[in-house]
Amino acid sequence: MTTVGSPAGAVRRPGTTTSAYPRHLAGRLGGAAVSLFAVLVTSFFLFRVIPGDPVKAMTHGMPTSAAQMATLRRQFGLDLPLWQQFTDYCAKALTGDLGMSYQFRAPVGELIAQKLPATLLLTGVAVVLYSALGLWLGTRTAWRHGGLGDRLHTGVALTLWSVPSFWLGLLLIIVFSVGVGPVPGMFPTGGMESGGETGLAYVLDVAHHMVLPVLTLVAVGYAQTLLVMRASLLDEMGGDYLTTARAKGLRDDLVRRRHAVPNALLPTVTMIFINLGHVAAGSILVETVFSWPGLGGLFYQALSVPDLPLVQGLFVVFAGAMILMNLLADLLYPLLDPRVGR
């Protein structure tokens, strides 16, 4: 049976629409698996070009004989051929074994699990705040583009987006932790807690320590979200469907919320999910500046040795979180726009 308005001879095949999403799902899962394998390969070979000898770094300042050095190399598998080190690494990584840290002499997985809650707390709060703020302001500025508010918000966002996060963090420490002129030092210079607090006092103490690092992440993150949402909504505002909606008598607020914004969300959803992927990684520079006891600070410590198993494990976790969030965004697209995945 030919469909009305379709090319001659075209036949509607039963199940075409219902089978489109499983094919879309299979393709995305396959792509994620390939990306994860590429991450394993990259994490193994990339960090082996870092100058330095891990065994010498571990024994720095301690009298160590050549025999002891050889024993340590054998203990950590550094005496094996590179290809064998790679196959062993991949086999263990696929089972969840990320190896033993040279520096801390503890399983990499345990070290990551210990530091992960602090990073999730800091960057999780920041992502929620700057995503909500960026979406709201991006929608407002685009809908009233050309006005004073649009120019002001866009100018501030462009400035903050171009500012290095570590530099902004240092500036906030100087102004609000050390104090400048009439501005007293109100917040701690670093760390997650003062120590010795329990119950509600502990919660308030952690929140007090979070203010400046969260403010740093929000300032940079909201600017990116605002600019992407603004550009996406401006592209949609010239659509004929919005003119039709207005011609039907819909209020301007309803046209924006029910028609324009949902169609402008796809690029912003991608960016939000990418930012959620960054929750696992946190912000290495911001955590280092504020001495936050999370994965970012742990990664910096591992690089300074270099602690290859720990660096590789953290790299896999960071990249794996990004792959997972991108996969979830791809799977969410057909729900936002049924044309995707057909």
Side-chain angles (χ1 to χ4, degrees), residues 54-78:
V55 174
K56 289 182 179 179
M58 282 187 291
T59 58
H60 180 69
M62 297 183 291
T64 309
S65 65
Q68 290 173 321
M69 298 277 285
T71 300
L72 286 173
R73 293 183 192 280
R74 186 167 54 254
Q75 178 183 347
F76 291 109
L78 296 174

Side-chain angles (χ1 to χ4, degrees), residues 262-314:
N263 284 299
L265 275 178
L266 284 184
T268 313
V269 165
T270 301
M271 189 191 59
I272 289 175
F273 272 88
I274 290 175
N275 290 335
L276 289 174
H278 282 302
V279 167
S283 177
I284 296 173
L285 294 177
V286 171
E287 287 193 10
T288 302
V289 167
F290 288 97
S291 302
W292 190 262
L295 295 182
L298 186 64
F299 189 75
Y300 179 79
Q301 286 180 279
L303 277 176
S304 62
V305 174
D307 189 339
L308 293 180
L310 185 53
V311 170
Q312 290 169 180
L314 287 167

Side-chain angles (χ1 to χ4, degrees), residues 134-199:
L135 283 173
W136 180 67
L137 287 177
T139 302
R140 294 283 178 176
T141 55
W143 204 250
R144 297 178 175 86
H145 65 282
L148 178 61
D150 176 34
R151 294 196 298 271
L152 177 62
H153 285 298
T154 303
V156 171
L158 285 170
T159 301
L160 290 174
W161 197 9
S162 63
V163 170
S165 58
F166 71 90
W167 182 85
L168 181 60
L170 290 172
L171 188 64
L172 291 177
I173 288 176
I174 292 171
V175 176
F176 296 107
S177 292
V178 178
V180 174
V183 180
M186 297 177 287
F187 300 100
T189 57
M192 183 176 173
E193 57 180 295
S194 301
E197 304 290 350
T198 58

Side-chain angles (χ1 to χ4, degrees), residues 243-267:
T243 303
T244 303
R246 291 190 181 94
K248 290 181 178 180
L250 292 180
R251 290 184 292 108
D252 197 58
D253 183 57
L254 290 178
V255 172
R256 183 183 72 245
R257 287 190 292 107
R258 294 185 182 179
H259 298 280
V261 171
N263 284 299
L265 275 178
L266 284 184

Side-chain angles (χ1 to χ4, degrees), residues 77 80-94 97:
L80 297 174
L82 193 60
W83 67 265
Q84 189 172 349
Q85 292 184 44
F86 174 67
T87 55
D88 290 347
Y89 165 69
C90 288
K92 290 179 180 179
L94 292 175
D97 183 2

Side-chain angles (χ1 to χ4, degrees), residues 32 35 39 270-281 315-330:
S35 298
V39 166
T270 301
M271 189 191 59
I272 289 175
F273 272 88
I274 290 175
N275 290 335
L276 289 174
H278 282 302
V279 167
F315 184 81
V316 169
V317 170
F318 296 163
M322 293 294 298
I323 292 171
L324 177 61
M325 290 299 108
N326 275 307
L327 176 62
L328 292 178
D330 286 336

